[in-house]
Amino acid sequence: MPWELKSDRPIYTQLIEQIELMIFSGVYPLGSKLPSVRDMAQEAAVNPNTMQKALVKLEEDGLIITHRTSGRSITEDARMVEMAKTKLAQEQISEFLEKMQLMGFEQKEILTIIDNMVKGMKK
């Protein structure tokens, strides 16, 4: 999964989001060992200090565990990952709904658009 970092938002925030997506999608499976901070920073083309800051935040959130002598790994707590995944989904949906309301759509219209798009995806 390539690192897609844009200049319109803080890199630190984007790193957190990208790593979360890698965990949720299984790129980094539960319990797996993460590459070193230096390796991850090099792959993402960012400063190692920025990557370190993002990993510390993910550790505070419970998605990453630090082992004193053997680096970092993804938590094995599937419930914790599922809760974080749901929280991210709710944030994304909330942003979307706010934008739709700013465009002048009513709740019923938004639901109709979403329903039509979901039906179109099933094909």
Side-chain angles (χ1 to χ4, degrees):
M1 185 176 216
W3 295 87
E4 296 178 21
L5 304 174
K6 298 181 177 127
S7 60
D8 64 336
R9 295 178 36 236
I11 298 298
Y12 158 76
T13 306
Q14 293 180 70
L15 288 174
I16 292 170
E17 290 171 358
Q18 292 278 316
I19 295 168
E20 284 177 335
L21 289 175
M22 289 178 187
I23 294 169
F24 301 156
S25 67
V27 172
Y28 293 137
L30 298 182
S32 67
K33 189 175 181 337
L34 282 173
S36 71
V37 172
R38 192 175 301 268
D39 288 346
M40 289 180 75
Q42 186 175 13
E43 185 183 327
V46 298
N47 184 308
N49 293 330
T50 306
M51 182 61 75
Q52 171 69 19
K53 185 178 174 185
L55 292 172
V56 166
K57 173 67 171 110
L58 289 167
E59 186 176 353
E60 290 170 1
D61 292 346
L63 292 176
I64 292 178
I65 300 167
T66 298
H67 308 282
R68 285 192 154 200
T69 56
S70 60
R72 290 184 168 92
S73 65
I74 305 302
T75 183
E76 293 180 357
D77 186 350
R79 192 175 62 75
M80 173 69 72
V81 172
E82 194 59 38
M83 284 173 35
K85 188 177 180 179
T86 300
K87 181 180 177 229
L88 179 61
Q90 289 171 337
E91 290 169 2
Q92 295 288 319
I93 292 167
S94 180
E95 286 178 30
F96 167 75
L97 291 174
E98 285 176 24
K99 288 178 184 174
M100 294 298 283
Q101 287 175 339
L102 286 173
M103 292 170 56
F105 286 102
E106 297 293 324
Q107 186 175 7
K108 230 177 186 173
E109 294 172 303
I110 296 169
L111 291 173
T112 300
I113 292 169
I114 292 170
D115 188 46
N116 289 338
M117 291 199 67
V118 168
K119 287 176 184 172
M121 289 174 60
K122 290 181 182 177
K123 293 178 181 176

